[in-house]
Amino acid sequence: MNLRSILFYAFFAIVGLTAISAQSKASVNITGRVLEKNGNLPIEFATVLIADKTTKKPISGTTSLENGTFSLTTNKDNFYIEISFIGFRKKVFNTYQISNGKVDLGDIHLEEDAESLNEVVVRAEKSQTVFKLDKRVFNVGKDLSSTGASALEVLNNVPSVNVNIEGQISLRGSQGVQILINGKPSILSDQGANALGTLTADIIDRVEVITNPSAKYDAEGTSGIINIVLKKDERKGLNGSVSLNVGNPNSNSVGVSLNKRTEKFNLFSQLGIGRRTFPNDFISQNTDLVNNTFLNTTGVSEKNETFYNLILGTDYHINSSSVITLSGNYTYEVEDENSNNQFSFYQNDVLEQGWTRTELTEATNPKWQYELQYKKDFKSHEDHDLLFSALGSFFGKDQTSDFEDVTTLGTRDNFNQHTSTDFKEARYTFKLDYTYPFADKYVLELGSQYILNDVSNDFQVGTFDNGNLVLDPNLTNVFDFNQNVLGIYSTFGYEGDKWGLKGGLRLENTNLKTLLRTTNENNNRNYTNLFPSAHASYKVSDDVSLQAGYSMRIYRPRLWDLNPFFNIRNNFNISTGNPNLLPEFTDSYEITSIIKAGKADFNLGVYYRYTTDVIEDVTTFENGVSTSFPINAGTSSTTGIEFNTKYSPFKWGSLTADFNWSGFQRKGSYEGTSLDVDGNRWSSRVTTKFKLPASIDLEITGNYRSKFRTIQGTQNDNLFANLGIRKKIFKGKVVANLAVRDLFASRVFESTTSQPNFSLYSRRQRGRFVTFGLSYAFGKGEAVEYSGRRRF
């Protein structure tokens, strides 16, 4: 008999003896019902554990059903029973009565553990940043000042990220950032502040800041990637919440969130309706230094939005390792905006002309998005998985604006203007990712992504002549934008006890076509690029770690960068796109240290970016009219230092601080004029949180953005504060929130453009926002600060 036969018979002998031994032991069935001591209500999903009395190792376990009952069986005879549920004191049964092979524990009453529950709530509410090999993860807690807030306010709380009053997002001072939703490109990230504002704080689970993305990620975004990951509740049973918000200016809404989870299905839905208002006060000044003329504009505007939104989706768990998700979102918005501008024209310091310009804009915006996703988890490793997703979305805008100019001084003619916009954008994203861990410490990633973007913008501008609209052929056209990007990637990583290494390569092909139909101007480009990435980490000790990273990035000009249509809200300060823009490329390097010292965590990093064909806005001036548009201005190099810390000296208080400084050198020219500029900028944020008596939480955040030079002028500094107060009622099932954003109404955005022949000044402010919210949760849901704002 050979060795293989001996091992074969020995194996089956052992299995047979084990089976006989198991059958010889009488099984014991354990039953009971778990209830709350106060109220005698059943507790669903309480954990029931059987463990060995000697080794303390678990033997078997289960969870209680909806009525609180449970049942499980064991062949062991030396065990104890432990029953627990979050927020309650656990119960342990070391002695019990076995009768006819059964242990009936009867009704088991768990007593609420106030101290434990409070600790859990505190941990759940505090936002925190976790550092990983190639990204930082900002876990979004229920920050008090986020009540009634959108994703833009959430991003303003994330280290390294800044959002200005126009909703423009910058990462480490650069606006070349790619915004993803759940790891995929979205129409929301292309439509500016209005679109991204449809995401509300309560549905955001975390924000991933990836300053040096690996090759797994889309190469778009020269300063990095911000990935907004949305929540999806999968607690079993029926869960949900109802929320009401009121605010000044208008932030009024009602929202309902429902979730039902069974063994196979997870059904989720959200419904919201409401109205919100955005006021805006502004001043602009145009000075013609050659002709000694001066135009002053002061104005106020108010934008109102009524919105309706619905989210429906389901997860179907095919088996324990495979799940398929189908979801859809629909949003419908009705907008109206009115403004009143006062114009004063001076010649040689003498007021010669005066007029008012009023605006009434109306728009409807339908949006929808649908996604099919399949995920397969392989049993060989918890991170071994395959993910496929197909995402489709649509954004439309049907908008009309009427402008009326009325002369109050001088001989300027009165006139009326009319504009109309018919905008349609469709986007489709197909994504396949495969992750294969092997040999304990190695990981191979492979994948591909194909994005198709199709846009049409029909824009008309006309003036009324004797009641008839006469279109301006220089400002009326149809702009078509079609961009398809195909990417494939591979990464290989190693993570040991001390060292972590990861390298990757991504290939992307871009096919871009733009067309101005009326004038038949087109711009077609097709280019292929390789994007390498490399990351390393070293664990000096349990409290000190080092990370280093490199990646090559691209910023492709987006629709609004290329769209040549004018914004004529103010005929003397016009902005437009440039259909001839080229993409910019960036090489990005960084080294970061992560230090834990007692009750404080520190993060100190240095970074360097070098960008070619950098895209910058320039302004030209002619006949008193300034026109701003983007160009490829040359090269830019940026060196920066970043510091983050969190200090929690007491259970009742914590402090979080962020600081970022960068120095930059930009070299370039436009039409023979040098655009070279050297400068630096810095920003800081400090947040303090306090737990007050009577279960009241208080949060205060201060923000400062320094003054810095632009290629043609300066952007002034900015200082503002936010305040939040929360009170939990009825054991946290009801939450009352008060949020004040821009507490002292000090968030003012000022910029100047200084050139030899002209100078420009602009000042804008939105003012203080106050919101009060109530939220009630039922089932196993949590009360949330749901603003019910538009969602996509």
Side-chain angles (χ1 to χ4, degrees):
M1 187 178 293
N2 58 30
L3 179 60
R4 179 185 293 181
S5 300
I6 295 173
L7 292 175
F8 178 82
Y9 287 115
F11 171 76
F12 279 100
I14 293 172
V15 172
L17 290 172
T18 303
I20 294 172
S21 175
Q23 291 173 1
S24 66
K25 293 182 180 180
S27 62
V28 178
N29 180 246
I30 304 165
T31 60
R33 184 170 67 151
V34 187
L35 304 170
E36 292 184 24
K37 185 174 182 180
N38 296 329
N40 216 38
L41 297 174
I43 298 177
E44 187 182 3
F45 303 120
T47 300
V48 182
L49 174 69
I50 300 175
D52 189 281
K53 285 184 178 180
T54 304
T55 65
K56 308 300 181 184
K57 291 183 177 181
I59 298 172
S60 182
T62 188
T63 58
S64 58
L65 302 176
E66 190 172 355
N67 61 1
T69 62
F70 65 87
S71 176
L72 74 165
T73 302
T74 181
N75 294 316
K76 302 294 184 179
D77 54 10
N78 184 35
F79 61 85
Y80 67 90
I81 307 165
E82 180 181 294
I83 300 170
S84 61
F85 188 70
I86 188 169
F88 290 80
R89 294 179 180 173
K90 67 181 177 182
K91 277 201 170 184
V92 178
F93 296 86
N94 286 300
T95 59
Y96 37 80
Q97 182 94 26
I98 302 178
S99 177
N100 297 323
K102 295 182 179 180
V103 175
D104 185 1
L105 298 177
D107 289 344
I108 304 157
H109 292 88
L110 296 186
E111 184 178 353
E112 192 172 285
D113 187 346
E115 182 177 353
S116 173
L117 183 61
N118 186 54
E119 290 177 358
V120 171
V121 169
V122 169
R123 283 194 297 270
E125 289 177 357
K126 291 182 179 178
S127 298
Q128 58 178 331
T129 303
V130 178
F131 292 86
K132 296 190 176 182
L133 180 60
D134 58 354
K135 62 187 173 184
R136 284 173 291 165
V137 181
F138 182 80
N139 293 309
V140 178
K142 297 175 185 175
D143 296 296
L144 311 187
S145 61
S146 294
T147 298
S150 72
L152 297 174
E153 280 84 20
V154 172
L155 290 176
N156 241 337
N157 288 329
V158 176
S160 309
V161 180
N162 181 40
V163 183
N164 68 15
I165 196 169
E166 301 295 339
Q168 293 176 323
I169 302 166
S170 61
L171 178 58
R172 289 177 170 172
S174 171
Q175 291 183 6
V177 56
Q178 167 80 329
I179 308 295
L180 303 179
I181 309 295
N182 289 335
K184 294 176 282 291
S186 170
I187 280 181
L188 295 181
S189 61
D190 278 352
Q191 300 306 320
N194 285 343
L196 199 57
T198 65
L199 297 177
T200 49
D202 58 289
I203 65 170
I204 299 175
D205 177 64
R206 63 187 185 275
V207 177
E208 298 176 344
V209 179
I210 314 171
T211 51
N212 262 315
S214 73
K216 178 178 180 178
Y217 296 94
D218 189 351
E220 177 71 33
T222 50
S223 64
I225 292 173
I226 297 176
N227 181 30
I228 301 174
V229 181
L230 306 183
K231 293 177 181 177
K232 185 169 65 177
D233 198 343
E234 290 196 7
R235 285 166 291 194
K236 289 187 177 180
L238 179 64
N239 315 295
S241 64
V242 180
S243 301
L244 171 68
N245 270 345
V246 293
N248 183 31
N250 287 331
S251 182
N252 308 323
S253 60
V254 176
V256 179
S257 176
L258 290 174
N259 169 255
K260 174 69 175 178
R261 172 71 191 271
T262 64
E263 288 299 324
K264 286 288 187 180
F265 284 96
N266 176 44
L267 305 174
F268 50 92
S269 65
Q270 293 169 340
L271 174 66
I273 181 173
R275 182 175 175 83
R276 63 179 180 178
T277 298
F278 295 103
N280 195 10
D281 297 341
F282 51 88
I283 298 173
S284 67
Q285 297 171 354
N286 293 10
T287 303
D288 187 332
L289 299 176
V290 176
N291 298 309
N292 198 24
T293 61
F294 173 82
L295 178 67
N296 183 73
T297 308
T298 61
V300 294
S301 69
E302 185 175 272
K303 183 176 183 178
N304 299 290
E305 296 177 339
T306 302
F307 46 88
Y308 313 85
N309 50 64
L310 175 66
I311 298 177
L312 290 173
T314 182
D315 298 314
Y316 174 61
H317 295 262
I318 302 170
N319 50 47
S320 60
S321 62
S322 298
V323 59
I324 187 169
T325 300
L326 180 64
S327 61
N329 312 332
Y330 178 75
T331 300
Y332 188 77
E333 304 161 1
V334 180
E335 298 179 350
D336 66 85
E337 182 169 2
N338 58 78
S339 66
N340 188 297
N341 300 324
Q342 305 292 326
F343 290 82
S344 301
F345 179 76
Y346 294 82
Q347 176 77 51
N348 297 321
D349 297 327
V350 177
L351 178 61
E352 292 190 349
Q353 301 282 345
W355 67 95
T356 63
R357 181 176 174 85
T358 57
E359 171 195 0
L360 178 60
T361 293
E362 295 180 342
T364 57
N365 307 326
K367 305 176 184 178
W368 59 81
Q369 180 170 297
Y370 44 90
E371 181 176 14
L372 174 66
Q373 179 173 289
Y374 171 78
K375 185 177 182 183
K376 168 71 175 178
D377 292 319
F378 298 93
K379 296 181 179 180
S380 59
H381 193 283
E382 62 179 355
D383 294 327
H384 186 190
D385 56 54
L386 175 72
L387 179 67
F388 169 78
S389 70
L391 176 70
S393 53
F394 172 84
F395 173 78
K397 179 181 283 288
D398 184 2
Q399 176 176 294
T400 60
S401 299
D402 289 294
F403 301 92
E404 182 179 11
D405 282 29
V406 177
T407 300
T408 57
L409 176 66
T411 59
R412 190 174 186 268
D413 291 336
N414 297 337
F415 69 96
N416 296 335
Q417 278 184 304
H418 176 85
T419 68
S420 63
T421 300
D422 183 11
F423 177 88
K424 296 181 176 65
E425 177 175 9
R427 181 194 289 268
Y428 305 94
T429 302
F430 302 93
K431 190 174 177 63
L432 180 67
D433 296 298
Y434 176 68
T435 303
Y436 176 57
F438 63 97
D440 292 334
K441 298 180 180 181
Y442 299 91
V443 177
L444 175 67
E445 295 176 318
L446 301 169
S448 63
Q449 178 177 274
Y450 191 36
I451 304 173
L452 300 92
N453 199 12
D454 187 2
V455 182
S456 176
N457 187 19
D458 187 347
F459 186 67
Q460 294 182 342
V461 178
T463 303
F464 285 97
D465 184 10
N466 295 323
N468 297 317
L469 181 64
V470 179
L471 295 181
D472 185 339
N474 295 321
L475 301 178
T476 299
N477 214 322
V478 178
F479 181 66
D480 290 335
F481 171 94
N482 301 94
Q483 180 173 273
N484 301 333
V485 180
L486 173 64
I488 58 174
Y489 74 88
S490 175
T491 72
F492 183 78
Y494 163 83
E495 189 163 0
D497 296 332
K498 286 284 188 180
W499 282 97
L501 299 170
K502 187 175 185 178
L505 186 64
R506 186 180 186 94
L507 181 146
E508 289 190 349
N509 172 260
T510 304
N511 186 12
L512 171 66
K513 297 179 181 179
T514 66
L515 171 66
L516 283 166
R517 290 191 204 171
T518 304
T519 55
N520 200 31
E521 298 174 60
N522 61 72
N523 185 8
N524 300 332
R525 292 196 179 97
N526 189 298
Y527 49 93
T528 301
N529 305 99
L530 287 173
F531 300 93
S533 68
H535 296 82
S537 66
Y538 178 68
K539 185 177 180 181
V540 180
S541 67
D542 290 339
D543 296 326
V544 180
S545 298
L546 299 175
Q547 294 179 341
Y550 162 77
S551 65
M552 182 178 176
R553 313 291 302 157
I554 184 175
Y555 177 88
R556 298 178 182 88
R558 299 171 187 174
L559 170 69
W560 301 112
D561 297 321
L562 301 172
N563 192 339
F565 294 134
F566 289 79
N567 176 350
I568 63 167
R569 178 159 286 136
N570 182 332
N571 281 329
F572 292 86
N573 292 303
I574 294 173
S575 61
T576 182
N578 177 4
N580 297 314
L581 276 181
L582 299 173
E584 62 178 34
F585 293 88
T586 293
D587 289 289
S588 177
Y589 308 80
E590 68 176 311
I591 299 176
T592 303
S593 63
I594 305 165
I595 303 170
K596 296 181 180 180
K599 297 180 178 180
D601 296 332
F602 301 93
N603 162 50
L604 178 63
V606 294
Y607 58 90
Y608 174 76
R609 294 194 302 261
Y610 181 76
T611 303
T612 58
D613 287 323
V614 62
I615 297 174
E616 293 276 7
D617 283 340
V618 297
T619 301
T620 60
F621 192 80
E622 186 176 359
N623 298 325
V625 177
S626 70
T627 303
S628 176
F629 54 92
I631 65 166
N632 293 108
T635 63
S636 174
S637 59
T638 302
T639 303
I641 300 173
E642 188 172 46
F643 174 76
N644 314 111
T645 183
K646 183 174 183 180
Y647 181 49
S648 304
F650 311 106
K651 290 184 178 180
W652 49 264
S654 67
L655 182 145
T656 303
D658 308 303
F659 175 82
N660 187 292
W661 176 92
S662 63
F664 53 85
Q665 292 182 324
R666 293 170 186 169
K667 297 184 179 298
S669 63
Y670 175 70
E671 294 185 346
T673 301
S674 173
L675 298 177
D676 293 357
V677 59
D678 295 350
N680 62 77
R681 60 191 299 181
W682 64 278
S683 63
S684 181
R685 178 191 296 115
V686 178
T687 300
T688 55
K689 298 183 180 182
F690 303 97
K691 295 192 69 64
L692 304 178
S695 299
I696 296 175
D697 296 331
L698 172 67
E699 174 187 284
I700 303 173
T701 301
N703 294 266
Y704 178 75
R705 320 286 183 203
S706 74
K707 182 177 180 179
F708 63 93
R709 293 184 62 187
T710 62
I711 59 174
Q712 289 182 297
T714 58
Q715 179 78 44
N716 285 2
D717 59 350
N718 193 274
L719 175 66
F720 63 99
N722 298 326
L723 171 71
I725 301 174
R726 174 186 295 129
K727 167 71 174 175
K728 281 183 166 59
I729 311 170
F730 303 123
K731 300 179 182 179
K733 284 294 183 181
V734 176
V735 176
N737 300 274
L738 176 67
V740 184
R741 294 194 293 279
D742 196 4
L743 178 62
F744 302 106
S746 59
R747 195 178 186 192
V748 178
F749 292 83
E750 290 182 294
S751 64
T752 60
T753 300
S754 300
Q755 294 295 292
N757 298 328
F758 69 95
S759 67
L760 307 173
Y761 170 79
S762 174
R763 182 186 190 275
R764 305 190 71 176
Q765 182 179 18
R766 281 197 170 149
R768 184 184 298 109
F769 285 75
V770 181
T771 305
F772 176 76
L774 282 175
S775 177
Y776 167 71
F778 52 88
K780 294 294 184 293
E782 296 178 358
V784 295
E785 302 75 57
Y786 173 48
S787 72
R789 288 189 186 178
R790 309 170 301 162
R791 300 187 181 190
F792 196 90

